Amino acid sequence: MPERYDAIIVGGGHNALVAACYLALAKQKVLLLERNESLGGATASVYAFPGVGAKLSRYSYLVALLPDQIRKDLELEFETLSRTVSSYTPARESGILINRIFDDVSRKSIIDYTGNPKESDAWERFYNRIAEFAEKVAPTMLQPLPTESEIRELVGDELWQEFIETPLSETLDKYFEDDVIKGIVLTDGLIGTFASAREKAANICFLYHLVGNGTGEWKVPRGGMGKLIEELSAKVKSLGVEVRTGVTVTKLSDNGTDVEVETDDGNFISKVVLAGCSPTTLAKISAIPAPKFRDGSQLKINMVLSRLPELKSGIDPKVAFAGTFHIDESYSQLERAFEEAKSGKIPDQIPAEMYCHTLTDRSILSPDLQQSEVQTLTVFVLHTPASIFDVNHDQVKAEITAKVLQGLNRYLKAPIEEFLLKDSSGNPCIEVKTPQELEAEIDLPRGNIFHSDLEFPWRSDAENIKWGCETKSPRIFLAGAGARRGGGVSGIAGHNAARAALERLANSS
Ligand SMILES: Cc1cc2nc3c(=O)[nH]c(=O)nc-3n(C[C@H](O)[C@H](O)[C@H](O)COP(=O)(O)OP(=O)(O)OC[C@H]3O[C@@H](n4cnc5c(N)ncnc54)[C@H](O)[C@@H]3O)c2cc1C
């Protein structure tokens, strides 16, 4: 007879682990099955280069969306650190430096670049409006889904019109004139979303990037992103969750009473199933259809450097790389790159952004490297959709990587390649992940980092759903990034699916 559980969780990403914790805290018998040998999915940290003591956040790298409430409920010792610098954008012979707290340095930098205070005044006005929105919407994320009308009433008509109804392109035009400044703002609408600023998808992505925890501040995970998984793994263990890695779930069948779970390592029966995998994978293993979604469109590059390179603009590299360093991300460059990529071409200028984890947190380095000048550099490349890599994958990957590095080198005194540390075999410490490789390694469909397209974090007035994780089976819930309000490192999807599953378990017992 197959073993019986109250809840079986498919996948071992951070959302699945969060769900497992909440279910186990409610005294349910829980089994978690992860197809890879290790847990973490897109939140893993790894020693990517042989013989090099740098534990890199291989995929995701900054945290904004994880609510304090989840950390508190689960007693997670997972610390996230503020950065002084928000971003640096090299432009013309100098650049634009914006600190996290918009101060005189930031103001002066924008004024020096644009020649007048208009854009810096607009910056402050714009982000004050966003802060107002974030403060109101963030507290709803762990509650039953509010309706669109409720959110509209909560934020007021003016904010609603500005950030929800009006395309981001038009709102940016209303506030800003400068192409580079507009681009810095726009990137938050494009991270992980292959879209034009004119599309609703950019409004949705923008909102996600700015509402996290009520502040939208992107912080550095101390110890790397994998520290979150270490904490969650210890917690599920202490709560008695049974965790099996290297086990792939191959079929889920709702028999009207329970869910039959087939795996490549035996079969189980469960009262409910929480799918921490993507909706696409769920559709492959069950009768639950998946929505259409856009290709993932990013390339992720991880590097370890012997030291930071100097910049032509003369800015201290420890300042320039401490926040987000933007290259070729002006508004017009972003829009052009999108149109080129959409038509199947490799963009002429490829937008990318990068940051140095070790300037904020050196604990990801071994003790000897901590004493050296070694630094890590993470690059997130935009508008390189999976479709571009479908033909001649390796050649296209090499071409795009070379172009991105050239794009960065334009601003450096000596090329970045000269700063790459060597691993124990003498190879340079650089790894590049395409959307296809993300799919093969951690099952992100077409490399989509949010499992599916993001949706606004509420329901339409007509929708009859409560948590945003419901499927057509009353016993199967979506518990990963593809659930409503799920994208990014937040644990929100795991929390909400656990709440929905516990309600189901209470009603069916
Ligand atoms: C390059 C990159 C950079 C990113 N940067 C950031 C960032 O800085 N900040 C941020 O907030 N977000 C970022 N994201 C997005 C974020 O990492 C993801 O949205 C989030 O981690 C998804 O978590 P999850 O737990 O829902 O799913 P995942 O982490 O995707 O985990 C799903 C797990 O399910 C397993 N699985 C799938 N199918 C099966 C099966 N049949 N049986 C068993 N197991 C299965 C997979 O192996 C995987 O481990 C980034 C993502 C990527 C790829």
Side-chain angles (χ1 to χ4, degrees), residues 57-216:
S57 303
R58 177 167 260 168
Y59 311 108
S60 53
Y61 49 101
L62 289 170
V63 181
L65 297 158
L66 176 66
D68 291 340
Q69 185 63 47
I70 291 182
R71 281 189 234 209
K72 202 166 139 235
D73 289 350
L74 305 185
E75 297 168 331
L76 302 178
E77 282 183 27
F78 176 62
E79 200 186 342
T80 48
L81 308 167
S82 288
R83 301 179 291 175
T84 311
V85 178
S86 172
S87 69
Y88 176 71
T89 306
R92 298 203 282 267
E93 284 75 45
S94 60
I96 301 168
L97 176 68
I98 296 176
N99 283 331
R100 177 175 57 82
I101 295 168
F102 194 82
D103 55 4
D104 286 345
V105 173
S106 320
R107 207 168 288 117
K108 182 174 180 314
S109 183
I110 294 184
I111 293 173
D112 285 351
Y113 179 76
T114 57
N116 66 64
K118 262 173 75 179
E119 297 293 89
S120 81
D121 290 349
W123 184 284
E124 284 185 90
R125 271 202 325 277
F126 183 82
Y127 281 100
N128 285 342
R129 306 277 290 153
I130 290 282
E132 218 183 301
F133 201 108
E135 268 169 34
K136 289 179 173 161
V137 173
T140 67
M141 298 298 251
L142 298 178
Q143 294 168 3
L145 274 171
T147 62
E148 187 175 317
S149 305
E150 284 164 347
I151 292 288
R152 191 177 181 138
E153 202 179 321
L154 187 70
V155 300
D157 265 350
E158 224 180 296
L159 278 176
W160 181 267
Q161 276 302 331
E162 207 159 54
F163 294 109
I164 307 304
E165 294 288 346
T166 310
L168 188 54
S169 54
E170 289 177 29
T171 300
L172 293 181
D173 281 345
K174 187 173 116 186
Y175 279 85
F176 305 103
E177 283 174 11
D178 185 84
D179 191 37
V180 177
I181 304 276
K182 264 201 283 182
I184 298 172
V185 181
L186 172 59
T187 54
D188 277 323
L190 305 177
I191 297 289
T193 300
F194 185 52
S196 155
R198 288 171 275 113
E199 293 180 86
K200 184 138 270 186
N203 289 60
I204 300 174
C205 182
F206 190 72
L207 191 69
Y208 264 88
H209 280 92
L210 290 155
V211 299
N213 231 341
T215 65

Side-chain angles (χ1 to χ4, degrees), residues 10-16 33-36 38-43 58-65 191 218 225 247-250 276-278 281 285 298-300 380 438 441-444 447 449-451 479-482 486-490 493:
V10 183
H14 82 289
N15 270 314
L33 303 166
E34 163 60 47
R35 69 172 200 153
N36 283 337
S38 52
L39 297 171
T43 35
R58 177 167 260 168
Y59 311 108
S60 53
Y61 49 101
L62 289 170
V63 181
L65 297 158
I191 297 289
W218 287 89
M225 205 53 107
V247 178
T248 302
V249 177
T250 50
C277 55
S278 70
T281 297
I285 59 175
Q298 71 295 315
L299 204 72
K300 173 86 192 293
F380 193 95
L438 294 175
E441 287 174 22
I442 47 171
D443 197 45
L444 299 180
I449 72 168
F450 302 132
H451 287 187
V489 179
S490 72

Side-chain angles (χ1 to χ4, degrees), residues 88-94 309-315 321 325-329 333 349 405-414:
Y88 176 71
T89 306
R92 298 203 282 267
E93 284 75 45
S94 60
E310 290 178 334
L311 286 114
K312 288 180 185 163
S313 68
I315 187 171
F321 289 106
F325 185 103
H326 297 267
I327 52 172
D328 295 329
E329 290 192 325
Q333 284 170 321
Q349 285 184 304
L405 297 186
Q406 275 162 24
L408 169 61
N409 287 342
R410 290 207 316 277
Y411 303 105
L412 306 181
K413 285 190 180 165

